[in-house]
Amino acid sequence: MFSQLSLSCPFNAALISCLSPRKPAMLLLTSLASVYFLAAAAFAVPAQEKRVHHQADLSDHVHDDSQNYQYDHEAFLGKEDAKTFDQLTPEESKERLGKIVDRIDTNKDGFVDHSELRKWIKHRQNRYIEENVNKHWKDYDANGDDKIAWEEYKNTTYGYYLGDDFNDIEDKETYKSMLARDERRFKAADKDGDGIATREEFTAFLHPEEFSYMKDVVVQETVEDIDKNGDRKINLAEYIGDMYTPEDGEAEPDWVQTEKKHFAEFRDINKDGYLDADEVAQWVLPGEVDHADNEAKHLIHETDTDKDGRLTLEEVLDKADYIKMSTITDYGGMRVEDHDEL
């Protein structure tokens, strides 16, 4: 079961963390329930899409200001918080808008520039990642120094069985493989090589697909997951087998034939019948438009009255009709607290 889960979810380390044998029984049961939920969510993704890492959408709405500003609202605060925004009075809206602008203005010069606004929108876009890291941080930072050493992570996750070399576990080879894979990923995320992960490095460990310097790790793990004959590349049978296993009497879905064509015509760029590391990278880590960057430019263009390329609080308030203060400024889960940093 554990190896199947790791194959179907990109956050392998996070799932392994849930299975820490040192956690109390009730917590472990809760963690396992979360794993089942995550696995169900992974399998809910179309099979041909589960390996591809896309940027999180800023909004499910069409970006068309002639219809409404819902895309901008959700881009500014995140999709979940945008559901609770219509509950503030104009006075409350102005007060909270001021707090938001103050938080976005990280250098405290009284202006919000493109870089600050893009960073804010990325922060909202990637909030689920930050929440996941925060959820695991205290479990692994055993000595409370706000860093996580490899030994802390290893002992917390695998420590109960390490002395016995996993001999008490039925599928000990799977656990050994998990440990080796975690160590390799941890070392890749540890940019300065000191064996200790900062919060950013630990985020790269849990979510390597979000960091360009972890690209090789994502590609290597993808190849290892799909490659069954150990030749370190992916043939057509392995590619399809990762998505679809036929059952007796079952007609092959049409999308399988489509994926076979995609493999031959698009994935296998050099037409040698295999996907090598470079071809896998182009498949699972496609280059995409920076939606946060585009949205920051759009919001500044629409709100920047004096056209100096940056926003003041007065300009934001002056464009209240466009920005819809009562819609974008309800914090909901966005509390203005010291620990909720950009």
Side-chain angles (χ1 to χ4, degrees):
M1 169 189 158
F2 300 151
S3 57
Q4 248 338 92
L5 287 174
S6 68
L7 299 188
S8 62
C9 181
F11 307 142
N12 183 43
L15 289 181
I16 294 171
S17 304
C18 292
L19 304 177
S20 170
R22 292 181 61 185
K23 291 186 176 182
M26 286 302 294
L27 181 56
L28 179 57
L29 289 174
T30 302
S31 299
L32 285 172
S34 300
V35 169
Y36 284 121
F37 174 80
L38 288 170
F43 286 119
V45 175
Q48 58 269 49
E49 285 290 317
K50 72 177 183 178
R51 294 287 179 187
V52 182
H53 301 287
H54 293 291
Q55 287 186 5
D57 293 330
L58 296 181
S59 172
D60 295 327
H61 295 270
V62 176
H63 197 184
D64 186 352
D65 292 341
S66 66
Q67 296 183 21
N68 58 60
Y69 305 124
Q70 195 62 36
Y71 183 100
D72 300 309
H73 304 162
E74 294 188 359
F76 198 87
L77 284 188
K79 287 187 274 190
E80 290 303 316
D81 292 327
K83 297 175 182 177
T84 61
F85 291 167
D86 291 326
Q87 303 171 10
L88 297 180
T89 67
E91 292 75 19
E92 290 172 328
S93 296
K94 290 181 180 181
E95 179 184 356
R96 295 198 180 189
L97 181 57
K99 292 179 180 179
I100 292 176
V101 171
D102 184 63
R103 289 186 61 205
I104 299 174
D105 177 22
T106 52
N107 65 6
K108 304 306 177 187
D109 65 353
F111 299 95
V112 171
D113 61 24
H114 169 266
S115 175
E116 290 170 328
L117 188 53
R118 178 187 176 276
K119 184 177 180 181
W120 168 261
I121 294 171
K122 289 290 289 185
H123 168 66
R124 305 314 304 151
Q125 183 183 31
N126 294 330
R127 185 176 175 187
Y128 78 97
I129 293 176
E130 296 168 10
E131 290 174 346
N132 178 260
V133 172
N134 290 338
K135 177 181 177 182
H136 289 91
W137 188 262
K138 290 183 180 179
D139 288 340
Y140 298 113
D141 183 17
N143 62 6
D145 64 351
D146 205 35
K147 296 179 182 179
I148 296 174
W150 164 245
E151 291 299 319
E152 288 179 302
Y153 177 84
K154 181 179 69 172
N155 290 333
T156 301
T157 306
Y158 301 98
Y160 184 82
Y161 293 113
L162 284 175
D164 297 323
D165 199 25
F166 300 115
N167 286 327
D168 291 341
I169 302 176
E170 182 177 346
D171 191 4
K172 67 178 182 179
E173 293 306 317
T174 296
Y175 267 78
K176 286 182 178 179
S177 176
M178 284 177 163
L179 174 59
R181 183 158 161 161
D182 269 1
E183 183 173 14
R184 184 182 65 200
R185 187 193 285 193
F186 192 98
K187 288 180 177 178
D190 178 20
K191 296 178 76 171
D192 59 9
D194 64 356
I196 300 173
T198 62
R199 190 172 290 267
E200 180 179 351
E201 289 170 336
F202 193 64
T203 302
F205 169 66
L206 289 182
H207 299 273
E209 71 288 344
E210 298 292 333
F211 293 79
S212 59
Y213 79 94
M214 296 291 286
K215 173 181 176 180
D216 290 345
V217 171
V218 175
V219 171
Q220 183 177 5
E221 291 182 0
T222 301
V223 172
E224 289 175 350
D225 287 345
I226 302 175
D227 171 30
K228 302 305 179 186
N229 61 14
D231 63 357
R232 299 184 181 180
K233 51 189 178 181
I234 299 171
N235 60 37
L236 177 60
E238 292 167 334
Y239 176 80
I240 297 299
D242 182 58
M243 307 176 189
Y244 173 70
T245 303
E247 298 182 4
D248 292 341
E250 180 187 25
E252 185 177 84
D254 292 340
W255 65 261
V256 173
Q257 286 300 319
T258 300
E259 281 301 317
K260 289 179 180 179
K261 289 185 63 177
H262 285 174
F263 181 95
E265 296 176 9
F266 305 114
R267 310 275 188 246
D268 180 17
I269 298 171
N270 62 10
K271 309 305 178 187
D272 66 350
Y274 300 91
L275 302 188
D276 58 27
D278 289 339
E279 290 165 333
V280 170
Q282 293 188 50
W283 165 37
V284 301
L285 296 169
E288 294 182 335
V289 174
D290 189 336
H291 299 298
D293 182 73
N294 285 346
E295 179 64 9
K297 292 175 181 176
H298 172 71
L299 288 174
I300 289 177
H301 175 76
E302 296 294 339
T303 312
D304 180 20
T305 304
D306 62 10
K307 302 304 177 185
D308 66 348
R310 52 188 186 174
L311 305 179
T312 64
L313 175 58
E314 289 72 20
E315 285 177 320
V316 174
L317 290 174
D318 186 55
K319 292 286 187 175
D321 288 341
Y322 174 80
I323 295 177
K324 299 279 189 179
M325 286 187 303
S326 65
T327 303
I328 69 170
T329 58
D330 182 1
Y331 270 43
M334 284 182 49
R335 297 175 298 278
V336 187
E337 298 176 7
D338 291 340
H339 63 77
D340 189 15
E341 297 294 338
L342 285 173

mmCIF file with all atom_site columns, all heavy atoms in Angstrom, residues 100-118:
data_model
loop_
_atom_site.group_PDB
_atom_site.id
_atom_site.type_symbol
_atom_site.label_atom_id
_atom_site.label_alt_id
_atom_site.label_comp_id
_atom_site.label_asym_id
_atom_site.label_entity_id
_atom_site.label_seq_id
_atom_site.pdbx_PDB_ins_code
_atom_site.Cartn_x
_atom_site.Cartn_y
_atom_site.Cartn_z
_atom_site.occupancy
_atom_site.B_iso_or_equiv
_atom_site.pdbx_formal_charge
_atom_site.auth_seq_id
_atom_site.auth_comp_id
_atom_site.auth_asym_id
_atom_site.auth_atom_id
_atom_site.pdbx_PDB_model_num
ATOM 1   N N   . ILE A 1 100 ? -3.798 45.112 4.627   1.00 0.00 ? 100 ILE A N   1
ATOM 2   C CA  . ILE A 1 100 ? -3.288 44.289 3.533   1.00 0.00 ? 100 ILE A CA  1
ATOM 3   C C   . ILE A 1 100 ? -2.184 45.028 2.779   1.00 0.00 ? 100 ILE A C   1
ATOM 4   O O   . ILE A 1 100 ? -1.115 44.477 2.513   1.00 0.00 ? 100 ILE A O   1
ATOM 5   C CB  . ILE A 1 100 ? -4.432 43.902 2.566   1.00 0.00 ? 100 ILE A CB  1
ATOM 6   C CG1 . ILE A 1 100 ? -5.401 42.942 3.251   1.00 0.00 ? 100 ILE A CG1 1
ATOM 7   C CG2 . ILE A 1 100 ? -3.868 43.248 1.307   1.00 0.00 ? 100 ILE A CG2 1
ATOM 8   C CD1 . ILE A 1 100 ? -6.607 42.598 2.403   1.00 0.00 ? 100 ILE A CD1 1
ATOM 9   N N   . VAL A 1 101 ? -2.454 46.287 2.431   1.00 0.00 ? 101 VAL A N   1
ATOM 10  C CA  . VAL A 1 101 ? -1.461 47.070 1.697   1.00 0.00 ? 101 VAL A CA  1
ATOM 11  C C   . VAL A 1 101 ? -0.182 47.197 2.510   1.00 0.00 ? 101 VAL A C   1
ATOM 12  O O   . VAL A 1 101 ? 0.931  47.099 1.971   1.00 0.00 ? 101 VAL A O   1
ATOM 13  C CB  . VAL A 1 101 ? -2.028 48.455 1.332   1.00 0.00 ? 101 VAL A CB  1
ATOM 14  C CG1 . VAL A 1 101 ? -0.935 49.354 0.765   1.00 0.00 ? 101 VAL A CG1 1
ATOM 15  C CG2 . VAL A 1 101 ? -3.168 48.315 0.333   1.00 0.00 ? 101 VAL A CG2 1
ATOM 16  N N   . ASP A 1 102 ? -0.313 47.367 3.817   1.00 0.00 ? 102 ASP A N   1
ATOM 17  C CA  . ASP A 1 102 ? 0.862  47.477 4.676   1.00 0.00 ? 102 ASP A CA  1
ATOM 18  C C   . ASP A 1 102 ? 1.669  46.184 4.665   1.00 0.00 ? 102 ASP A C   1
ATOM 19  O O   . ASP A 1 102 ? 2.903  46.213 4.677   1.00 0.00 ? 102 ASP A O   1
ATOM 20  C CB  . ASP A 1 102 ? 0.428  47.828 6.100   1.00 0.00 ? 102 ASP A CB  1
ATOM 21  C CG  . ASP A 1 102 ? 1.634  48.043 7.022   1.00 0.00 ? 102 ASP A CG  1
ATOM 22  O OD1 . ASP A 1 102 ? 2.411  48.976 6.762   1.00 0.00 ? 102 ASP A OD1 1
ATOM 23  O OD2 . ASP A 1 102 ? 1.785  47.262 7.991   1.00 0.00 ? 102 ASP A OD2 1
ATOM 24  N N   . ARG A 1 103 ? 0.995  45.064 4.633   1.00 0.00 ? 103 ARG A N   1
ATOM 25  C CA  . ARG A 1 103 ? 1.702  43.776 4.602   1.00 0.00 ? 103 ARG A CA  1
ATOM 26  C C   . ARG A 1 103 ? 2.375  43.554 3.256   1.00 0.00 ? 103 ARG A C   1
ATOM 27  O O   . ARG A 1 103 ? 3.480  43.002 3.180   1.00 0.00 ? 103 ARG A O   1
ATOM 28  C CB  . ARG A 1 103 ? 0.729  42.631 4.885   1.00 0.00 ? 103 ARG A CB  1
ATOM 29  C CG  . ARG A 1 103 ? 0.254  42.570 6.322   1.00 0.00 ? 103 ARG A CG  1
ATOM 30  C CD  . ARG A 1 103 ? -0.579 41.330 6.553   1.00 0.00 ? 103 ARG A CD  1
ATOM 31  N NE  . ARG A 1 103 ? 0.192  40.131 6.294   1.00 0.00 ? 103 ARG A NE  1
ATOM 32  C CZ  . ARG A 1 103 ? -0.339 38.963 5.955   1.00 0.00 ? 103 ARG A CZ  1
ATOM 33  N NH1 . ARG A 1 103 ? -1.639 38.847 5.806   1.00 0.00 ? 103 ARG A NH1 1
ATOM 34  N NH2 . ARG A 1 103 ? 0.426  37.917 5.766   1.00 0.00 ? 103 ARG A NH2 1
ATOM 35  N N   . ILE A 1 104 ? 1.716  43.965 2.176   1.00 0.00 ? 104 ILE A N   1
ATOM 36  C CA  . ILE A 1 104 ? 2.313  43.788 0.856   1.00 0.00 ? 104 ILE A CA  1
ATOM 37  C C   . ILE A 1 104 ? 3.555  44.663 0.706   1.00 0.00 ? 104 ILE A C   1
ATOM 38  O O   . ILE A 1 104 ? 4.542  44.260 0.081   1.00 0.00 ? 104 ILE A O   1
ATOM 39  C CB  . ILE A 1 104 ? 1.282  44.112 -0.245  1.00 0.00 ? 104 ILE A CB  1
ATOM 40  C CG1 . ILE A 1 104 ? 0.080  43.160 -0.149  1.00 0.00 ? 104 ILE A CG1 1
ATOM 41  C CG2 . ILE A 1 104 ? 1.923  43.981 -1.629  1.00 0.00 ? 104 ILE A CG2 1
ATOM 42  C CD1 . ILE A 1 104 ? -1.042 43.514 -1.100  1.00 0.00 ? 104 ILE A CD1 1
ATOM 43  N N   . ASP A 1 105 ? 3.523  45.853 1.302   1.00 0.00 ? 105 ASP A N   1
ATOM 44  C CA  . ASP A 1 105 ? 4.640  46.805 1.231   1.00 0.00 ? 105 ASP A CA  1
ATOM 45  C C   . ASP A 1 105 ? 5.748  46.352 2.182   1.00 0.00 ? 105 ASP A C   1
ATOM 46  O O   . ASP A 1 105 ? 5.939  46.879 3.268   1.00 0.00 ? 105 ASP A O   1
ATOM 47  C CB  . ASP A 1 105 ? 4.140  48.203 1.598   1.00 0.00 ? 105 ASP A CB  1
ATOM 48  C CG  . ASP A 1 105 ? 5.258  49.247 1.618   1.00 0.00 ? 105 ASP A CG  1
ATOM 49  O OD1 . ASP A 1 105 ? 6.301  49.009 0.967   1.00 0.00 ? 105 ASP A OD1 1
ATOM 50  O OD2 . ASP A 1 105 ? 5.074  50.279 2.287   1.00 0.00 ? 105 ASP A OD2 1
ATOM 51  N N   . THR A 1 106 ? 6.510  45.381 1.759   1.00 0.00 ? 106 THR A N   1
ATOM 52  C CA  . THR A 1 106 ? 7.484  44.749 2.660   1.00 0.00 ? 106 THR A CA  1
ATOM 53  C C   . THR A 1 106 ? 8.667  45.653 2.991   1.00 0.00 ? 106 THR A C   1
ATOM 54  O O   . THR A 1 106 ? 9.270  45.515 4.050   1.00 0.00 ? 106 THR A O   1
ATOM 55  C CB  . THR A 1 106 ? 8.008  43.436 2.051   1.00 0.00 ? 106 THR A CB  1
ATOM 56  O OG1 . THR A 1 106 ? 8.481  43.672 0.727   1.00 0.00 ? 106 THR A OG1 1
ATOM 57  C CG2 . THR A 1 106 ? 6.903  42.384 2.008   1.00 0.00 ? 106 THR A CG2 1
ATOM 58  N N   . ASN A 1 107 ? 9.039  46.574 2.089   1.00 0.00 ? 107 ASN A N   1
ATOM 59  C CA  . ASN A 1 107 ? 10.163 47.463 2.406   1.00 0.00 ? 107 ASN A CA  1
ATOM 60  C C   . ASN A 1 107 ? 9.718  48.753 3.099   1.00 0.00 ? 107 ASN A C   1
ATOM 61  O O   . ASN A 1 107 ? 10.531 49.628 3.396   1.00 0.00 ? 107 ASN A O   1
ATOM 62  C CB  . ASN A 1 107 ? 10.962 47.795 1.146   1.00 0.00 ? 107 ASN A CB  1
ATOM 63  C CG  . ASN A 1 107 ? 10.168 48.607 0.131   1.00 0.00 ? 107 ASN A CG  1
ATOM 64  O OD1 . ASN A 1 107 ? 9.039  49.028 0.393   1.00 0.00 ? 107 ASN A OD1 1
ATOM 65  N ND2 . ASN A 1 107 ? 10.755 48.796 -1.044  1.00 0.00 ? 107 ASN A ND2 1
ATOM 66  N N   . LYS A 1 108 ? 8.406  48.870 3.340   1.00 0.00 ? 108 LYS A N   1
ATOM 67  C CA  . LYS A 1 108 ? 7.822  49.968 4.132   1.00 0.00 ? 108 LYS A CA  1
ATOM 68  C C   . LYS A 1 108 ? 8.184  51.359 3.581   1.00 0.00 ? 108 LYS A C   1
ATOM 69  O O   . LYS A 1 108 ? 8.442  52.291 4.345   1.00 0.00 ? 108 LYS A O   1
ATOM 70  C CB  . LYS A 1 108 ? 8.261  49.867 5.601   1.00 0.00 ? 108 LYS A CB  1
ATOM 71  C CG  . LYS A 1 108 ? 7.919  48.524 6.241   1.00 0.00 ? 108 LYS A CG  1
ATOM 72  C CD  . LYS A 1 108 ? 6.453  48.165 6.099   1.00 0.00 ? 108 LYS A CD  1
ATOM 73  C CE  . LYS A 1 108 ? 6.152  46.794 6.672   1.00 0.00 ? 108 LYS A CE  1
ATOM 74  N NZ  . LYS A 1 108 ? 4.762  46.352 6.395   1.00 0.00 ? 108 LYS A NZ  1
ATOM 75  N N   . ASP A 1 109 ? 8.157  51.482 2.253   1.00 0.00 ? 109 ASP A N   1
ATOM 76  C CA  . ASP A 1 109 ? 8.416  52.788 1.661   1.00 0.00 ? 109 ASP A CA  1
ATOM 77  C C   . ASP A 1 109 ? 7.132  53.530 1.305   1.00 0.00 ? 109 ASP A C   1
ATOM 78  O O   . ASP A 1 109 ? 7.168  54.603 0.703   1.00 0.00 ? 109 ASP A O   1
ATOM 79  C CB  . ASP A 1 109 ? 9.301  52.654 0.422   1.00 0.00 ? 109 ASP A CB  1
ATOM 80  C CG  . ASP A 1 109 ? 8.610  51.891 -0.721  1.00 0.00 ? 109 ASP A CG  1
ATOM 81  O OD1 . ASP A 1 109 ? 7.498  51.347 -0.505  1.00 0.00 ? 109 ASP A OD1 1
ATOM 82  O OD2 . ASP A 1 109 ? 9.193  51.825 -1.825  1.00 0.00 ? 109 ASP A OD2 1
ATOM 83  N N   . GLY A 1 110 ? 5.985  52.943 1.668   1.00 0.00 ? 110 GLY A N   1
ATOM 84  C CA  . GLY A 1 110 ? 4.710  53.588 1.399   1.00 0.00 ? 110 GLY A CA  1
ATOM 85  C C   . GLY A 1 110 ? 4.123  53.286 0.037   1.00 0.00 ? 110 GLY A C   1
ATOM 86  O O   . GLY A 1 110 ? 3.068  53.821 -0.319  1.00 0.00 ? 110 GLY A O   1
ATOM 87  N N   . PHE A 1 111 ? 4.787  52.406 -0.710  1.00 0.00 ? 111 PHE A N   1
ATOM 88  C CA  . PHE A 1 111 ? 4.309  52.050 -2.041  1.00 0.00 ? 111 PHE A CA  1
ATOM 89  C C   . PHE A 1 111 ? 4.277  50.526 -2.182  1.00 0.00 ? 111 PHE A C   1
ATOM 90  O O   . PHE A 1 111 ? 5.070  49.811 -1.556  1.00 0.00 ? 111 PHE A O   1
ATOM 91  C CB  . PHE A 1 111 ? 5.215  52.620 -3.131  1.00 0.00 ? 111 PHE A CB  1
ATOM 92  C CG  . PHE A 1 111 ? 5.301  54.123 -3.132  1.00 0.00 ? 111 PHE A CG  1
ATOM 93  C CD1 . PHE A 1 111 ? 6.341  54.762 -2.457  1.00 0.00 ? 111 PHE A CD1 1
ATOM 94  C CD2 . PHE A 1 111 ? 4.367  54.885 -3.807  1.00 0.00 ? 111 PHE A CD2 1
ATOM 95  C CE1 . PHE A 1 111 ? 6.434  56.143 -2.457  1.00 0.00 ? 111 PHE A CE1 1
ATOM 96  C CE2 . PHE A 1 111 ? 4.447  56.268 -3.809  1.00 0.00 ? 111 PHE A CE2 1
ATOM 97  C CZ  . PHE A 1 111 ? 5.475  56.906 -3.132  1.00 0.00 ? 111 PHE A CZ  1
ATOM 98  N N   . VAL A 1 112 ? 3.384  50.048 -3.053  1.00 0.00 ? 112 VAL A N   1
ATOM 99  C CA  . VAL A 1 112 ? 3.366  48.642 -3.447  1.00 0.00 ? 112 VAL A CA  1
ATOM 100 C C   . VAL A 1 112 ? 3.840  48.580 -4.891  1.00 0.00 ? 112 VAL A C   1
ATOM 101 O O   . VAL A 1 112 ? 3.170  49.104 -5.798  1.00 0.00 ? 112 VAL A O   1
ATOM 102 C CB  . VAL A 1 112 ? 1.955  48.041 -3.323  1.00 0.00 ? 112 VAL A CB  1
ATOM 103 C CG1 . VAL A 1 112 ? 1.916  46.647 -3.952  1.00 0.00 ? 112 VAL A CG1 1
ATOM 104 C CG2 . VAL A 1 112 ? 1.534  47.968 -1.861  1.00 0.00 ? 112 VAL A CG2 1
ATOM 105 N N   . ASP A 1 113 ? 5.000  47.980 -5.106  1.00 0.00 ? 113 ASP A N   1
ATOM 106 C CA  . ASP A 1 113 ? 5.504  47.877 -6.475  1.00 0.00 ? 113 ASP A CA  1
ATOM 107 C C   . ASP A 1 113 ? 5.167  46.506 -7.059  1.00 0.00 ? 113 ASP A C   1
ATOM 108 O O   . ASP A 1 113 ? 4.581  45.648 -6.389  1.00 0.00 ? 113 ASP A O   1
ATOM 109 C CB  . ASP A 1 113 ? 7.005  48.155 -6.537  1.00 0.00 ? 113 ASP A CB  1
ATOM 110 C CG  . ASP A 1 113 ? 7.841  47.172 -5.715  1.00 0.00 ? 113 ASP A CG  1
ATOM 111 O OD1 . ASP A 1 113 ? 7.376  46.039 -5.463  1.00 0.00 ? 113 ASP A OD1 1
ATOM 112 O OD2 . ASP A 1 113 ? 8.966  47.536 -5.332  1.00 0.00 ? 113 ASP A OD2 1
ATOM 113 N N   . HIS A 1 114 ? 5.555  46.317 -8.307  1.00 0.00 ? 114 HIS A N   1
ATOM 114 C CA  . HIS A 1 114 ? 5.222  45.076 -9.010  1.00 0.00 ? 114 HIS A CA  1
ATOM 115 C C   . HIS A 1 114 ? 5.796  43.858 -8.308  1.00 0.00 ? 114 HIS A C   1
ATOM 116 O O   . HIS A 1 114 ? 5.125  42.829 -8.146  1.00 0.00 ? 114 HIS A O   1
ATOM 117 C CB  . HIS A 1 114 ? 5.730  45.141 -10.455 1.00 0.00 ? 114 HIS A CB  1
ATOM 118 C CG  . HIS A 1 114 ? 5.676  43.827 -11.170 1.00 0.00 ? 114 HIS A CG  1
ATOM 119 N ND1 . HIS A 1 114 ? 6.752  42.962 -11.219 1.00 0.00 ? 114 HIS A ND1 1
ATOM 120 C CD2 . HIS A 1 114 ? 4.671  43.214 -11.836 1.00 0.00 ? 114 HIS A CD2 1
ATOM 121 C CE1 . HIS A 1 114 ? 6.408  41.886 -11.902 1.00 0.00 ? 114 HIS A CE1 1
ATOM 122 N NE2 . HIS A 1 114 ? 5.169  42.004 -12.294 1.00 0.00 ? 114 HIS A NE2 1
ATOM 123 N N   . SER A 1 115 ? 7.042  43.954 -7.877  1.00 0.00 ? 115 SER A N   1
ATOM 124 C CA  . SER A 1 115 ? 7.696  42.816 -7.232  1.00 0.00 ? 115 SER A CA  1
ATOM 125 C C   . SER A 1 115 ? 6.977  42.414 -5.948  1.00 0.00 ? 115 SER A C   1
ATOM 126 O O   . SER A 1 115 ? 6.758  41.220 -5.683  1.00 0.00 ? 115 SER A O   1
ATOM 127 C CB  . SER A 1 115 ? 9.162  43.151 -6.930  1.00 0.00 ? 115 SER A CB  1
ATOM 128 O OG  . SER A 1 115 ? 9.788  42.117 -6.218  1.00 0.00 ? 115 SER A OG  1
ATOM 129 N N   . GLU A 1 116 ? 6.596  43.396 -5.141  1.00 0.00 ? 116 GLU A N   1
ATOM 130 C CA  . GLU A 1 116 ? 5.903  43.110 -3.884  1.00 0.00 ? 116 GLU A CA  1
ATOM 131 C C   . GLU A 1 116 ? 4.523  42.510 -4.137  1.00 0.00 ? 116 GLU A C   1
ATOM 132 O O   . GLU A 1 116 ? 4.106  41.583 -3.442  1.00 0.00 ? 116 GLU A O   1
ATOM 133 C CB  . GLU A 1 116 ? 5.786  44.393 -3.053  1.00 0.00 ? 116 GLU A CB  1
ATOM 134 C CG  . GLU A 1 116 ? 7.120  44.882 -2.499  1.00 0.00 ? 116 GLU A CG  1
ATOM 135 C CD  . GLU A 1 116 ? 7.028  46.274 -1.893  1.00 0.00 ? 116 GLU A CD  1
ATOM 136 O OE1 . GLU A 1 116 ? 6.215  47.093 -2.388  1.00 0.00 ? 116 GLU A OE1 1
ATOM 137 O OE2 . GLU A 1 116 ? 7.777  46.549 -0.922  1.00 0.00 ? 116 GLU A OE2 1
ATOM 138 N N   . LEU A 1 117 ? 3.825  43.048 -5.138  1.00 0.00 ? 117 LEU A N   1
ATOM 139 C CA  . LEU A 1 117 ? 2.485  42.532 -5.421  1.00 0.00 ? 117 LEU A CA  1
ATOM 140 C C   . LEU A 1 117 ? 2.553  41.129 -5.998  1.00 0.00 ? 117 LEU A C   1
ATOM 141 O O   . LEU A 1 117 ? 1.734  40.263 -5.650  1.00 0.00 ? 117 LEU A O   1
ATOM 142 C CB  . LEU A 1 117 ? 1.764  43.470 -6.401  1.00 0.00 ? 117 LEU A CB  1
ATOM 143 C CG  . LEU A 1 117 ? 0.281  43.175 -6.659  1.00 0.00 ? 117 LEU A CG  1
ATOM 144 C CD1 . LEU A 1 117 ? -0.510 43.089 -5.361  1.00 0.00 ? 117 LEU A CD1 1
ATOM 145 C CD2 . LEU A 1 117 ? -0.316 44.233 -7.580  1.00 0.00 ? 117 LEU A CD2 1
ATOM 146 N N   . ARG A 1 118 ? 3.530  40.878 -6.865  1.00 0.00 ? 118 ARG A N   1
ATOM 147 C CA  . ARG A 1 118 ? 3.695  39.523 -7.400  1.00 0.00 ? 118 ARG A CA  1
ATOM 148 C C   . ARG A 1 118 ? 4.003  38.537 -6.278  1.00 0.00 ? 118 ARG A C   1
ATOM 149 O O   . ARG A 1 118 ? 3.456  37.427 -6.237  1.00 0.00 ? 118 ARG A O   1
ATOM 150 C CB  . ARG A 1 118 ? 4.830  39.494 -8.428  1.00 0.00 ? 118 ARG A CB  1
ATOM 151 C CG  . ARG A 1 118 ? 5.090  38.097 -8.984  1.00 0.00 ? 118 ARG A CG  1
ATOM 152 C CD  . ARG A 1 118 ? 6.336  38.053 -9.866  1.00 0.00 ? 118 ARG A CD  1
ATOM 153 N NE  . ARG A 1 118 ? 6.613  36.695 -10.304 1.00 0.00 ? 118 ARG A NE  1
ATOM 154 C CZ  . ARG A 1 118 ? 7.283  35.799 -9.589  1.00 0.00 ? 118 ARG A CZ  1
ATOM 155 N NH1 . ARG A 1 118 ? 7.754  36.126 -8.380  1.00 0.00 ? 118 ARG A NH1 1
ATOM 156 N NH2 . ARG A 1 118 ? 7.492  34.569 -10.059 1.00 0.00 ? 118 ARG A NH2 1
#
